Amino acid sequence: MSEWFVTAAVVLLVAVWLGVVAFGPPFVPTLRRETEKLLDALKVGKGDIFVDLGSGDGRVLALAARRGALVHGVEINPFLVWAARLRLRGYSADIRLGDMWRYSLPAGTTHVFVFPAEMFMHKLERYCVAEARRKPGFLLVCHAFQLPGRTPEKVVGAFNLYQF
């Protein structure tokens, strides 16, 4: 490969990564063991519609899909969307390239998972309130952070649960 190609590829990757961070939390993988315990506690399975806002490489969605849930994810990083689609081939999964703040939850959504950054918690709360007006009845699962002004209805390990 020419030096020009390698330089262009690196610049493109850096530009995409920086652009992604400007719109939402950066990609930080969720530990499998923690996620399995959460999904056990929530009894996620057949009949559930599980959404991951900022779905990254699809690892949380894959665990929910293996339990029989229909899974939906939205991710702004095109490289991670590709990785998630590859990971979820063979499952009933809808992984979209897009901004999680503009994503409309599918009808019948039962669980919404998000691993946010603290600076986005007010925005997440407003998003969930707006979505719940149109599609009430989902359980929001926030990894590590709490919604401002709200007490979680339940805490499972590092996950805070809120009913909307």
Side-chain angles (χ1 to χ4, degrees), residues 47-51 70 72 94 96 103-112 131 134-138:
D48 285 317
I49 298 176
F50 191 96
V51 176
L70 298 175
H72 298 261
D94 178 30
R96 295 188 184 180
Y103 181 75
S104 179
L105 296 177
T109 296
T110 55
H111 301 86
V112 177
E131 284 296 304
R134 296 181 306 112
K135 298 171 187 137
F138 63 87

Side-chain angles (χ1 to χ4, degrees), residues 18-90:
L18 290 175
V20 166
V21 172
F23 290 98
F27 172 63
V28 178
T30 305
L31 298 176
R32 181 186 180 122
R33 185 174 43 219
E34 287 180 359
T35 306
E36 290 281 7
K37 286 179 185 176
L38 170 72
L39 297 177
D40 286 343
L42 298 178
K43 297 180 171 74
V44 170
K46 206 170 181 100
D48 285 317
I49 298 176
F50 191 96
V51 176
D52 189 349
L53 300 174
S55 55
D57 65 1
R59 65 183 66 205
V60 172
L61 292 175
L63 294 173
R66 286 186 194 125
R67 294 165 178 259
L70 298 175
V71 298
H72 298 261
V74 60
E75 173 60 51
I76 200 164
N77 184 322
F79 301 107
L80 293 174
V81 169
W82 176 81
R85 287 178 178 166
L86 189 62
R87 181 184 297 259
L88 286 154
R89 68 184 183 276

Side-chain angles (χ1 to χ4, degrees), residues 116-125 142 145-148:
E118 189 169 13
M119 64 193 268
F120 294 104
M121 295 308 291
H122 285 286
K123 191 172 185 177
L124 177 62
E125 202 266 340
C142 290
F145 298 102
Q146 290 187 7
L147 291 175

Side-chain angles (χ1 to χ4, degrees), residues 2 25 28 98 127 129 136 157:
S2 72
V28 178
Y127 170 86
V129 166

